[in-house]
Amino acid sequence: MLLRLKITNYALIAESEINFGTGMSVITGETGAGKSILLGALALLLGSRADSSIIKQGEKKCIVEADFDITNYNLQEFFDQNDLDYCPTTNIRREIADSGKSRAFVNDTPVNLNTLKDLGTLLTDIHSQHQTLEIGHEDFQIKLMDVVAKNEDILKEYKNLYHQYSKTKAELEKLKKEAEKNAKESEFLHYRFDELDNAKLKENEQTELEEELDALSHNEDIKNALSTACEKLSRTEDNNILLNLKETVSSLKKIENFYPKISELANRLEQSYIEIDDIYRELDNLDENTEFSPQRLETVSNRLGEIYALEKKYNAANMSELITMHTELKEKLATIDNYEENTAELEKQLQETTLHLNKKSQELTQSRKNAIENLKTQTSELLIQLGMPNAKLDAQFTTLNDFTPIGKDSVKFMFSANKNVALQDLSRTASGGELSRLMLCIKYILSNSVKLPTIIFDEIDTGISGDIAGKMGNMFARMAQNMQVICITHLPQVASKGKHHFKVYKHEVNETIKSDIKELSSDERITEIAGMLSGETITEAALQNAKDLLKNA
């Protein structure tokens, strides 16, 4: 519910603050007094685009802010999703600088325009001529039937199935396209795979072969070095390193009992002997097993040549890339080979989902048809009160060939305002006044079945007068029992129904025309309604008529 609206430097309004109450509020004023300015300021607050031209002449910045009571709006989730502080009384502020820069805040937290719009639609419904035209749009008509039918749970189930249906359908189409494409190159893929598979590639094989090739290429140098090392370590002459070390250790061990200082050195020398002896044995083993093999050199060279040729052919930097390529080809060929099995599985899933989706879409269709019957009855009764006794509303349903995110229905509202005139497409046959009355009836019906936000009617009563205007005012008043209604009107019959009455007026300050708004007292209200009845000259009869209207309201 809108609690307070404050406007600073917007168009002709220098500064104005309005406190709204529960129930029905009416706003009146002469043509050009600034009622549209007030509505524009509120629209700006709720996310409409604006530029610096709306700033009051001579000022640097325009500010519009409002307080809303959102206690019963169930908006905690919205605030959490948008990382906003939730407050039962929420403040929204919009600032427009003369540079054109715009800023918006919700409870002092900066928000972008889209977030402001999303929140605005949850708080306030501004019913203008533009929105009246929406009744001719198919998406509005379907949403309306879903709200009246309370289809929230069915729609949720349907949308979950539709998501699964769309996902499975996309996967199946993708698989078919890939299979079709791969089938054309299947022979080529098999050729590449077979070539890599026959090569029996192994990780690190190339590195090991290159090292072996290097060793085989320097076999003579390696053999000479090993033989020389073994000979130097094991010759039987006096300079035999191992024998000398062994005898030295034995000599030192003989004196360690009576010369303890030598014990550590003897042990260190003994360890050296063991290590060198081990080295010698490994060198001797290498020397013994190192033989030049022209056949092995040729085998290694040929294998490396095969690997290098494959790397060049497939533009691979190393053997790892060839192995990865081999694995990918194997998987791709498996997909091709398993195409029929995978396709059959997806087609089965799609068939099952389609079955459930068809059932759920039929539930939606039937529920919507029930809703239109309800709407037909209620709108006919309400339109009679609004001076359209012969008006009829119906809906033409067409089943689509495929599912949509909201069902399988194509809907067209059919309307006739006059007796013996066939129903025709609502968007083409209804006049602006007829659409306005029909939309009012729909809003009235919705207000009795669902929790609507604050609704603002912007001169929806244009073209109506007399007894019909009074009945329209009564509809506004009944709606206001369940919600906050703000009605901008030029009809005294409607203005008299309001619980609160505000007047927009112009006045001159220092040779400058300004717009302002104030809440009228009981006496001021009588005068205002009397003026709406009689014009510029207020008569006693008009005053008495105004008192009677207020009394009867």
Side-chain angles (χ1 to χ4, degrees):
M1 184 179 86
L2 178 61
L3 300 175
R4 180 182 69 95
L5 176 65
K6 184 177 181 181
I7 304 169
T8 305
N9 298 328
Y10 182 90
L12 295 178
I13 299 177
E15 185 169 359
S16 186
E17 184 170 341
I18 318 162
N19 293 303
F20 291 94
T22 57
M24 178 178 173
S25 296
V26 295
I27 299 174
T28 61
E30 296 178 2
T31 301
K35 298 188 294 296
S36 61
I37 294 176
L38 183 69
L39 199 62
L42 186 59
L44 179 71
L45 184 73
L46 299 175
S48 68
R49 294 195 174 275
D51 54 46
S52 57
S53 64
I54 56 96
I55 301 175
K56 189 176 183 298
Q57 189 173 359
E59 301 297 335
K60 296 290 186 183
K61 183 166 65 173
C62 158
I63 302 174
V64 183
E65 67 173 311
D67 293 329
F68 291 86
D69 178 0
I70 63 171
T71 307
N72 299 319
Y73 282 37
N74 300 319
L75 295 180
Q76 180 72 58
E77 184 178 353
F78 177 89
F79 278 71
D80 291 342
Q81 288 176 348
N82 290 279
D83 199 22
L84 297 171
D85 294 329
Y86 177 85
C87 299
T89 300
T90 284
N91 177 269
I92 301 178
R93 186 171 80 256
R94 183 90 182 271
E95 300 177 357
I96 308 292
D98 58 359
S99 63
K101 184 178 180 182
S102 168
R103 297 195 302 167
F105 303 87
V106 174
N107 294 329
D108 291 326
T109 299
V111 296
N112 59 41
L113 202 58
N114 287 333
T115 302
L116 190 63
K117 283 181 180 178
D118 291 342
L119 180 58
T121 58
L122 299 173
L123 299 178
T124 304
D125 178 6
I126 299 178
H127 183 90
S128 61
Q129 183 180 5
H130 170 71
Q131 194 195 41
T132 298
L133 296 176
E134 289 183 355
I135 196 172
H137 298 163
E138 182 176 0
D139 56 345
F140 177 87
Q141 295 168 3
I142 291 178
K143 287 178 183 177
L144 171 62
M145 288 185 291
D146 285 335
V147 171
V148 172
K150 302 185 186 304
N151 281 340
E152 184 178 352
D153 290 340
I154 299 178
L155 267 173
K156 186 177 181 180
E157 292 173 13
Y158 175 88
K159 287 179 178 179
N160 287 335
L161 285 168
Y162 179 77
H163 173 73
Q164 184 180 341
Y165 166 83
S166 300
K167 183 181 177 183
T168 306
K169 191 175 180 181
E171 288 177 356
L172 184 59
E173 289 176 357
K174 182 182 177 182
L175 179 62
K176 286 180 177 179
K177 285 180 181 179
E178 287 181 351
E180 184 180 348
K181 177 186 174 184
N182 292 337
K184 294 177 181 178
E185 55 179 357
S186 176
E187 185 177 344
F188 177 63
L189 293 174
H190 272 290
Y191 167 76
R192 298 185 77 175
F193 172 76
D194 290 342
E195 186 173 35
L196 291 175
D197 194 57
N198 292 332
K200 307 296 181 187
L201 302 172
K202 300 176 184 176
E203 284 288 352
N204 302 319
E205 182 187 8
Q206 182 176 347
T207 302
E208 293 171 358
L209 287 173
E210 286 173 341
E211 291 177 355
E212 185 178 359
L213 180 65
D214 200 32
L216 288 169
S217 300
H218 297 83
N219 182 270
E220 188 175 345
D221 294 335
I222 294 169
K223 184 69 175 175
N224 288 336
L226 290 173
S227 298
T228 300
C230 290
E231 183 182 351
K232 293 293 184 181
L233 289 172
S234 63
R235 284 191 309 189
T236 56
E237 287 92 309
D238 292 342
N239 62 351
N240 184 317
I241 295 174
L242 283 172
L243 181 59
N244 289 339
L245 276 174
K246 186 176 182 181
E247 290 178 352
T248 303
V249 169
S250 177
S251 175
L252 293 176
K253 286 285 186 180
K254 291 177 181 178
I255 64 172
E256 65 179 345
N257 289 334
F258 46 84
Y259 192 49
K261 291 181 180 182
I262 204 66
S263 181
E264 183 182 352
L265 291 173
N267 288 335
R268 286 169 61 189
L269 196 60
E270 185 177 25
Q271 290 300 318
S272 298
Y273 166 74
I274 294 171
E275 178 68 16
I276 293 172
D277 185 58
D278 186 62
I279 291 171
Y280 162 71
R281 295 181 187 281
E282 288 192 28
L283 286 171
D284 187 54
N285 185 56
L286 288 172
D287 183 37
E288 187 175 339
N289 290 287
T290 299
E291 294 181 1
F292 177 67
S293 172
Q295 293 81 7
R296 181 58 184 167
L297 178 61
E298 183 180 0
T299 299
V300 172
S301 297
N302 290 340
R303 178 58 172 167
L304 281 173
E306 181 184 4
I307 292 171
Y308 294 150
L310 288 172
E311 289 175 347
K312 183 178 181 180
K313 182 175 182 178
Y314 294 110
N315 197 27
N318 48 52
M319 181 176 279
S320 292
E321 289 189 14
L322 285 176
I323 292 173
T324 300
M325 194 178 299
H326 174 258
T327 303
E328 290 174 351
L329 284 167
K330 184 177 181 180
E331 293 172 354
K332 201 167 188 179
L333 287 169
T335 301
I336 294 173
D337 294 340
N338 296 330
Y339 161 72
E340 291 185 2
E341 182 181 341
N342 294 337
T343 301
E345 179 62 30
L346 284 174
E347 286 177 340
K348 181 182 177 182
Q349 290 179 22
L350 187 63
Q351 188 177 14
E352 291 174 355
T353 305
T354 302
L355 190 66
H356 293 306
L357 199 55
N358 250 325
K359 184 178 179 181
K360 196 57 63 177
S361 69
Q362 288 167 8
E363 284 184 45
L364 272 176
T365 300
Q366 188 57 52
S367 181
R368 288 165 179 167
K369 287 181 177 179
N370 294 339
I372 197 62
E373 291 300 319
N374 187 7
L375 277 171
K376 282 165 59 177
T377 302
Q378 293 191 63
T379 53
S380 293
E381 294 173 356
L382 293 170
L383 286 169
I384 290 172
Q385 299 177 36
L386 297 180
M388 299 174 67
N390 298 308
K392 295 178 182 178
L393 176 71
D394 206 339
Q396 187 180 88
F397 283 78
T398 304
T399 302
L400 299 171
N401 293 327
D402 200 359
F403 303 100
T404 73
I406 56 172
K408 211 173 180 181
D409 299 322
S410 174
V411 176
K412 185 187 295 182
F413 272 18
M414 309 297 287
F415 182 75
S416 173
N418 302 301
K419 192 174 183 179
N420 298 323
V421 175
L423 291 165
Q424 298 180 51
D425 186 346
L426 172 68
S427 62
R428 296 180 180 179
T429 187
S431 67
E434 291 166 349
L435 286 174
S436 292
R437 295 187 206 189
L438 181 57
M439 182 62 100
L440 173 58
C441 294
I442 287 170
K443 295 282 178 161
Y444 179 83
I445 293 167
L446 290 176
S447 71
N448 291 322
S449 58
V450 295
K451 181 69 176 177
L452 290 177
T454 295
I455 187 167
I456 300 173
F457 290 103
D458 179 20
E459 297 189 352
I460 193 176
D461 48 19
T462 301
I464 294 174
S465 60
D467 184 53
I468 302 301
K471 289 180 178 178
M472 180 174 279
N474 288 332
M475 287 180 67
F476 290 142
R478 286 196 294 271
M479 289 177 68
Q481 293 175 6
N482 300 320
M483 59 186 297
Q484 184 185 45
V485 174
I486 300 172
C487 184
I488 298 174
T489 183
H490 64 278
L491 294 179
Q493 296 91 334
V494 173
S496 66
K497 307 296 182 182
K499 183 178 178 181
H500 312 278
H501 191 152
F502 298 89
K503 180 179 180 179
V504 178
Y505 61 97
K506 283 183 179 179
H507 59 109
E508 187 175 330
V509 179
N510 297 327
E511 299 183 351
T512 302
I513 300 298
K514 295 183 178 180
S515 287
D516 211 337
I517 185 169
K518 67 175 182 177
E519 185 169 7
L520 301 179
S521 65
S522 297
D523 290 339
E524 289 173 328
R525 193 172 183 191
I526 293 170
T527 304
E528 173 69 8
I529 292 175
M532 295 171 73
L533 286 165
S534 64
E536 189 174 340
T537 302
I538 300 176
T539 64
E540 284 298 324
L543 287 169
Q544 186 57 49
N545 196 358
K547 291 177 183 178
D548 291 340
L549 283 173
L550 288 167
K551 182 179 179 180
N552 291 332

